[in-house]
Amino acid sequence: MILRLDDTDVERNTDASVNSIFEGLKWLGLDWDEQYQQSERGELHRQMAEAIFQKGLAYRDFTPAHMGDSERSGAQGTWLFNPGMRELSREESDRRAAAGETFALRFRVPRQSGEVVRFTDAVYGEQIKAGADIEDFALLRSDGMPTYHLASCADDADLRISHIIRGQDHLSNTYKHVLIFAAAGFTPPQFAHLPLLVAPDGTKLSKRRHGPVVSVTTYRDAGFLPQAFINFLCLLGWSPKNDREQMSRQELVDAFSLEGINRANAVVNFKENASSSPGIASEAGDVGVAYQEDTFDPKALWLNAEHIRGLAIEDLCQRLLPIVCAAGFQVTRDQMLRITPLIRERIKLLRDVLTAADFFFADQLPPYDPGELIPQKGDAAMALKVLRRAKEVLAKVEFKHDPLDQALRAAAQQLGIKAGQMFQPIRVAVCGRKNAPPLFETLEVLGRETTLARIAQALERAGSTDL
């Protein structure tokens, strides 16, 4: 795999943007064998430009108004070429260049009646455009720097690129690239243009417009698994023939074909300007930013949850432990190994460990509503009776799943209540909430000392309130 940075646009090329690309690719496991930067290959680009010029397929444009690659003027805001420059004799062009006049080097697009540029795109099919409708685009700017069009084609030819797969917004550029390849004597690669990823409002994804939610590293820091994020990205604008959704990286590789790509743009259903807060650990163990779950596309969250459930306990534990430790909790690997299977089905993002399992790590539970201790179809007296009895039973029973199960069910029978009415006050007392992992496994992990201490605290809260 070749990684090539198209960094000829000096203004947009910053260390921060480049480092973000590297971080994202490394997190996703998309390693590369060779690396190139277009800005370091200018001599190769200028050689191709010179070869095209010597064939008479390019000309010097000394007009200051058209030195830039993107400048346009003329009817309907378009600009195709400057006749005075295009028709300038070679002798006059050489004389002015030798005199030191600055110029842009422009491609001499064929404009005869009936001249067309065509290519077959692997996604959008046959593409045809009249040469008379294509402007004489720049190959070299007035400062001698290659344009994107020239640099890309020169590098593609030099690196023997067989397929160019890029965004649909480059479809119109391809006519120019076909002309460059032909003028330089190379067979063009196979082109395939992919639908764009767009925001819910239909606009093209842009960090400047939509913020960090469109950055790959944001998903990493929020607790996405790299394989789940790749899975999600691949299903944007493409689907396998059997409409499968959860797929491993190798399954995606095996199933992918250009024929399965849709032509319509794909919407990433994130929420713009969703709130976030600092201080949540990332997968790498650094404290990062916690985004609300509804910030992200629901399908991305669902796929991430499915991939989390598919991880081996040891693997998931290894990913969760740095997050917990970075949040300031003292947890050993053995403790985390016991907690992980209890929350694996309850988290969508890796960072959810801090909310799904916080009561395992905290020395003291945060305040909770004592009314939560009251069982369904019960009252405050029942809650107090359950907690007192549980304190007696749990002081003696072995803290293993089956003995805990048997002892607490027997206690419920003795009290003349249902098992669920017995379990709820205990669950709230030890976890601080009703929604928590299975009770007996939770008690086993918490241990006798912590369990009894929290039940005692619950009795104090219940006794000092009217519930």
Side-chain angles (χ1 to χ4, degrees):
M1 177 178 173
I2 293 173
L3 174 64
R4 190 178 77 210
L5 295 177
D6 292 353
D7 58 350
T8 56
D9 190 336
V10 178
E11 291 184 1
R12 297 180 63 185
N13 179 43
T14 64
D15 289 342
S17 61
V18 171
N19 290 335
S20 179
I21 291 171
F22 286 160
E23 284 185 37
L25 290 174
K26 288 177 180 177
W27 173 60
L28 294 174
L30 301 178
D31 301 320
W32 54 92
D33 303 298
E34 302 175 43
Q35 179 181 329
Y36 301 94
Q37 290 181 241
Q38 281 191 335
S39 59
E40 298 175 353
R41 296 166 62 81
E43 185 58 34
L44 171 71
H45 307 153
R46 283 184 279 271
Q47 287 175 5
M48 176 176 278
E50 179 65 20
I52 294 173
F53 175 70
Q54 291 301 331
K55 293 179 182 179
L57 300 177
Y59 63 92
R60 300 185 183 105
D61 184 351
F62 296 94
T63 309
H66 300 302
M67 290 299 182
D69 183 30
S70 60
E71 295 180 14
R72 300 288 183 266
S73 63
Q76 289 81 47
T78 62
W79 179 87
L80 293 175
F81 65 98
N82 185 330
M85 293 294 101
R86 183 179 169 108
E87 297 163 8
L88 194 68
S89 68
R90 178 63 181 271
E91 291 75 13
E92 178 65 9
S93 176
D94 288 347
R95 184 193 67 76
R96 294 178 66 170
E101 288 192 52
T102 57
F103 60 87
L105 188 67
R106 295 192 173 278
F107 194 92
R108 192 185 300 274
V109 176
R111 302 192 172 281
Q112 295 82 356
S113 177
E115 287 276 2
V116 298
V117 181
R118 68 175 71 220
F119 64 94
T120 300
D121 188 82
V123 175
Y124 290 88
E126 187 175 26
Q127 305 292 309
I128 302 175
K129 189 172 187 177
D133 294 332
I134 303 173
E135 79 273 11
D136 284 0
F137 55 91
L139 298 175
L140 296 175
R141 299 184 180 92
S142 59
D143 59 2
M145 287 295 294
T147 62
Y148 161 75
H149 303 302
L150 173 67
S152 293
C153 292
D155 286 336
D156 289 336
D158 180 62
L159 298 174
R160 300 184 297 279
I161 301 301
S162 61
H163 290 71
I164 295 177
I165 304 175
R166 57 192 180 189
Q168 182 269 343
D169 53 335
H170 282 286
L171 195 61
S172 60
N173 289 331
T174 306
Y175 298 105
K176 301 171 185 178
H177 297 180
V178 168
L179 288 170
I180 293 174
F181 281 117
F186 294 97
T187 301
Q190 169 68 62
F191 293 99
H193 288 82
L194 309 182
L196 300 181
L197 303 184
V198 297
D201 62 2
T203 58
K204 184 179 176 182
L205 297 187
S206 165
K207 190 170 183 180
R208 184 177 303 172
R209 176 185 177 93
H210 301 111
V213 72
V214 301
S215 174
V216 172
T217 52
T218 294
Y219 289 79
R220 176 198 66 187
D221 296 341
F224 279 84
L225 294 171
Q227 59 267 40
F229 190 63
I230 288 177
N231 191 170
F232 169 66
L233 288 179
C234 287
L235 295 180
L236 291 172
W238 172 83
S239 60
K241 293 179 180 179
N242 56 7
D243 292 328
R244 290 183 60 194
E245 292 190 301
Q246 183 186 352
M247 302 175 71
S248 68
R249 175 170 165 169
Q250 189 57 51
E251 288 171 334
L252 290 165
V253 170
D254 294 340
F256 180 79
S257 69
L258 292 172
E259 290 75 20
I261 295 174
N262 302 319
R263 294 186 179 185
N265 290 339
V267 177
V268 184
N269 288 304
F270 58 81
K271 279 192 177 180
E272 296 186 49
N273 302 318
S275 63
S276 60
S277 59
I280 296 300
S282 71
E283 181 185 354
D286 299 324
V287 175
V289 174
Y291 289 86
Q292 293 180 351
E293 283 187 357
D294 62 1
T295 300
F296 304 107
D297 191 303
K299 188 168 185 177
L301 285 170
W302 174 79
L303 279 170
N304 200 62
E306 292 298 306
H307 279 272
I308 284 176
R309 294 186 185 102
L311 290 178
I313 294 299
E314 293 78 6
D315 187 358
L316 181 55
C317 171
Q318 195 67 24
R319 296 169 188 266
L320 296 178
L321 187 57
I323 299 174
V324 176
C325 292
F329 296 111
Q330 302 298 316
V331 181
T332 67
R333 183 177 181 277
D334 287 342
Q335 289 173 318
M336 198 68 233
L337 271 174
R338 299 174 68 194
I339 295 169
T340 300
L342 303 185
I343 63 169
R344 181 168 60 172
E345 304 290 325
R346 310 175 72 85
I347 61 176
K348 296 179 181 178
L349 299 168
L350 294 176
R351 67 165 175 80
D352 289 346
V353 62
L354 297 176
T355 52
D358 55 342
F359 59 88
F360 284 114
F361 315 130
D363 293 330
Q364 295 288 335
L365 291 179
Y368 57 86
D369 179 7
E372 294 286 290
L373 294 165
I374 298 176
Q376 189 174 11
K377 297 182 179 180
D379 55 19
M382 180 183 291
L384 288 169
K385 184 167 58 174
V386 166
L387 292 174
R388 292 189 185 109
R389 182 61 181 144
K391 187 177 179 182
E392 295 172 357
V393 171
L394 295 173
K396 302 174 182 177
V397 69
E398 182 184 7
F399 259 65
K400 298 292 183 183
H401 178 283
D402 290 347
L404 287 167
D405 184 349
Q406 294 167 8
L408 291 177
R409 290 185 186 277
Q413 286 184 335
Q414 293 167 3
L415 294 176
I417 61 176
K418 296 180 179 179
Q421 293 175 312
M422 182 76 187
F423 300 157
Q424 180 179 319
I426 301 172
R427 178 178 287 109
V428 173
V430 299
C431 302
R433 55 179 179 264
K434 295 179 183 178
N435 186 15
L439 178 61
F440 309 124
E441 290 89 338
T442 297
L443 296 177
E444 187 175 349
V445 171
L446 287 172
R448 191 191 311 276
E449 182 178 348
T450 298
T451 296
L452 293 177
R454 291 184 179 180
I455 290 177
Q457 292 168 357
L459 281 167
E460 290 178 10
R461 290 181 182 180
S464 63
T465 67
D466 295 329
L467 293 185

